């Protein structure tokens, strides 16, 4: 029996613009998915995931992956959730050269689901790590990242980015540009605070909205490029450990994202609550349209303010996690 | 006895960027300052302005402009308020060749003071018009605009722009670029709605903040230029009467202004209330940091939504006013 964990992430700077070749920066956060794997004799896959979804679900496949489970969660969520586990176990079985190994998984996560915080990537990475170790194989972080990306790519119909899986596998701050992913060395401390409105925008529609604006208006294309410049500034600020500067750039980035039409009333309310509480900067994180914001604050003031902000369902400190996927 | 009136205005697109040579578009709105002038025999200046400030004030100069009045309003407000009347009367006396003419003024305004809606320009234009007519002289709109600008320039220590006074004097939609002011023909209908948070940002500090950002960051300078591109798009949309497009551009402009650091929590809350109510677009108007937003909505839904929005102190429909300064 092996337990492995992997962190969630926030996009610190550059979401949406990254689709058009601009760089983005993501950070692993100290919120983890934990998966325990135990080899079983039956060749099947059993999953206990009580804490993963809002309602929780436990699924048992008798003998193979073909039977559909009978549980009380929305079909789409179930399909997606099962897809990550099934894909991760398939990757692990392949890596271990044990295609018919029976596996029992127990998963839990402290990363809110569907909040744009990389919960599926974390579950996928942790599952691959736990199962491969249980099957006697040790993968390096980058192979976990690569296999986890393939899982997300399949489950998300080819629309996954490498960001979440890479960030979860290697930890710390990472830079994404096109298909290139790079760990940013020397970033060991970022006092992040997350606020989550309990909802989520429609990522596909939001990405399509920015695409159509960018095609229709030169000034929108310019704004996308400007986001890239802000990200390059942020990379320098991170390198120098200049949190004041990083905060200013986060604020600026949020305004540009608002111009591109991907903010939301709740997100702006949380961003202002954070700024009024003394955060060095605050912005939406992820696809937008609802979901989460990330703020930079050494003190507890931002989290306290968010706790009393209408529309904020959940808030927590989320210090940068320098560790990626690991055995517990 | 002559009564003249002049409209307030909103900046529809382009505030702040206009400081750096980008174009901006302002619109006169159907909210007016009304000034009645009556020639008196004593050579002095008496002003009744009960409705002008929050507290109202009535001031009487006995025999000349040197005595300071004894009234219960903040000194700074009084100085500024008196400055506009004194300057406007001086301009009118000069234009009429009657430097010693005694004048009694009664002023009222339906434009909220200090809301960034051009109340001082409207009072100044209406005063010049009323007094010159009372003294038997008829100025054309552009001369009223020019003389009113000189008054604002003096009262505001050289920091006035020509926008407010030109817009109030000539009415309709106007384009400003550098020192050039131009009436935009063919714009006769704009269903504007104003929301006012009851406060005001510090214009000088906000302008200085944008200036310092622009000097420090190339991406901020790019953002200022992008605002100019949005304004050019808005001019075309106005010309074509395409309100949907104009609304989209207002939304975009608001995001860029947020990036430049001149929005505020109340302004964003009002902007979102308007959008959620079905406005075609909404943005802060004027210097920002507090003050007013302008939205585009043919229906009453935006005004209704703003009435119930926390932080919105006052809201009203403000249809484009095609008429500038006029005798009532």
């Amino acid at each position: 029996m092996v337990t492995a964990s992997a962190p969630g992430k926030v996009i610190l700077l550059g979401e949406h613009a990254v689709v058009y070749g601009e760089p983005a920066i993501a950070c692993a956060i100290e919120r983890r998915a934990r998966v325990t794997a135990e080899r079983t004799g039956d060749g099947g896959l059993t999953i206990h995931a009580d804490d993963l979804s809002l309602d929780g679900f436990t699924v048992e496949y008798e003998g193979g992956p073909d039977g559909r489970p009978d549980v009380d969660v929305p079909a789409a969520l179930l399909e997606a959730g099962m897809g990550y586990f099934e894909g991760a176990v398939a990757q692990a079985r392949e890596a271990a050269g044990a295609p018919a190994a029976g596996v029992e998984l127990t998963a839990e996560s402290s990363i809110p689901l569907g909040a744009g915080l990389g919960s599926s990537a974390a579950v996928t990475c942790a599952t691959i790590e736990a199962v491969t170790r249980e099957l006697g194989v040790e993968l390096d972080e980058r192979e976990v990242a690569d296999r986890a990306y393939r899982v997300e790519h399949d489950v998300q119909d080819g629309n996954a980015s490498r960001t979440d899986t890479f960030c979860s596998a290697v930890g710390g701050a990472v830079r994404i540009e096109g298909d290139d992913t790079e760990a940013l060395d020397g970033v060991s401390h970022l006092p992040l605070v997350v606020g989550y409105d309990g909802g989520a925008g429609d990522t596909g529609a939001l990405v399509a909205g920015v695409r159509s604006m960018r095609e229709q208006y030169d000034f929108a294309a310019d704004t996308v490029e400007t986001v890239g410049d802000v990200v390059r500034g942020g990379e320098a600020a991170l390198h120098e450990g200049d949190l004041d500067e990083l905060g200013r750039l986060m604020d600026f980035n949020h305004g540009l994202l608002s111009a591109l039409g991907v903010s939301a009333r709740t997100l702006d309310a949380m961003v202002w609550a954070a700024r009024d509480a003394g955060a060095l900067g605050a912005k939406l994180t992820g696809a937008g349209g609802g979901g989460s914001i990330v703020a930079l604050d050494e003190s507890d003031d931002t989290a306290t303010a968010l706790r009393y902000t209408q529309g904020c369902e959940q808030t927590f400190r989320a210090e940068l996690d320098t560790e990626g996927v690991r055995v517990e």
Side-chain angles (χ1 to χ4, degrees), chain A:
Chain A
M1 189 159 75
V2 176
T3 298
S5 72
K9 68 96 195 34
V10 292
I11 305 280
L12 194 62
L13 293 166
E15 50 274 273
H16 283 287
V18 73
V19 174
Y20 306 99
E22 301 295 338
I25 296 170
C27 295
I29 57 173
E30 285 183 345
R31 285 253 154 171
R32 290 188 164 252
R34 280 181 184 74
V35 176
T36 301
E38 186 160 18
R39 185 158 190 169
T40 60
D42 64 1
L45 170 59
T46 305
I47 304 166
H48 307 282
D50 290 343
D51 285 342
L52 265 196
S53 85
L54 295 174
D55 300 313
F57 60 98
T58 300
V59 187
E60 190 160 342
Y61 292 100
E62 298 291 344
D66 288 321
R68 291 285 91 182
D70 175 29
V71 291
D72 184 27
V73 292
L77 180 62
L78 183 66
E79 291 285 332
M82 289 302 93
Y84 295 114
F85 287 113
E86 285 175 12
V89 169
Q91 287 291 336
R93 283 170 171 156
E94 181 188 290
V103 177
E104 181 167 356
L105 299 179
T106 305
E108 56 168 14
S109 173
S110 59
I111 310 160
L113 281 194
L117 301 175
S119 61
S120 65
V123 163
T124 305
C125 287
T127 302
I128 292 174
E129 180 78 356
V131 176
T132 49
R133 295 286 187 133
E134 176 71 2
L135 299 180
V137 177
E138 195 168 328
L139 305 183
D140 73 17
E141 287 173 348
R142 297 201 175 230
E143 185 168 353
V144 173
D146 193 53
R147 289 186 176 275
Y149 168 67
R150 285 185 248 164
V151 173
E152 288 220 322
H153 187 272
D154 285 350
V155 176
Q156 298 172 17
D157 293 327
N159 291 317
S161 108
R162 289 182 178 274
T163 308
D164 290 15
T165 40
F166 183 79
C167 193
S168 185
V170 309
V174 306
R175 181 188 202 275
I176 309 101
E177 188 167 350
D179 275 343
D180 293 337
T181 42
E182 179 196 345
L184 294 176
D185 294 333
V187 184
S188 59
H189 168 61
L190 274 182
L192 303 170
V193 182
V194 168
Y196 171 43
D197 71 4
D202 176 339
T203 301
L206 290 157
V207 169
V210 173
R211 183 181 303 280
S212 111
M213 264 200 173
R214 191 173 161 276
E215 283 166 5
Q216 187 175 356
Y217 301 116
D218 286 346
F219 60 73
D222 292 343
T223 300
V224 167
E225 280 182 37
T226 302
V227 171
D229 294 333
V230 173
V231 176
R232 282 178 277 272
E235 201 181 338
L238 266 178
H239 188 71
E240 290 155 21
D242 186 345
L243 297 184
D244 291 317
E245 174 75 355
L246 186 61
R248 282 190 291 271
L249 298 175
M250 289 167 68
D251 284 343
F252 205 99
N253 194 168
H254 181 75
L256 297 179
L257 288 165
S258 301
L260 291 168
V262 300
S263 192
R265 191 174 195 165
T266 49
L267 298 178
D268 278 8
M270 290 192 287
V271 158
W272 278 113
R275 291 174 187 161
D276 286 356
L280 300 175
K283 63 181 277 295
L284 70 86
T285 183
S292 300
I293 66 137
V294 58
L296 208 57
D297 189 354
E298 296 279 8
S299 84
D300 290 327
D301 293 348
T302 292
T304 303
L306 284 171
R307 206 162 291 125
Y308 294 101
T309 300
Q310 205 182 0
C312 180
E313 290 279 316
Q314 204 178 340
T315 181
F316 49 86
R317 297 199 61 84
E319 175 64 36
L320 175 80
D321 196 334
T322 55
E323 278 199 88
V325 66
R326 68 182 183 217
V327 171
E328 295 280 280

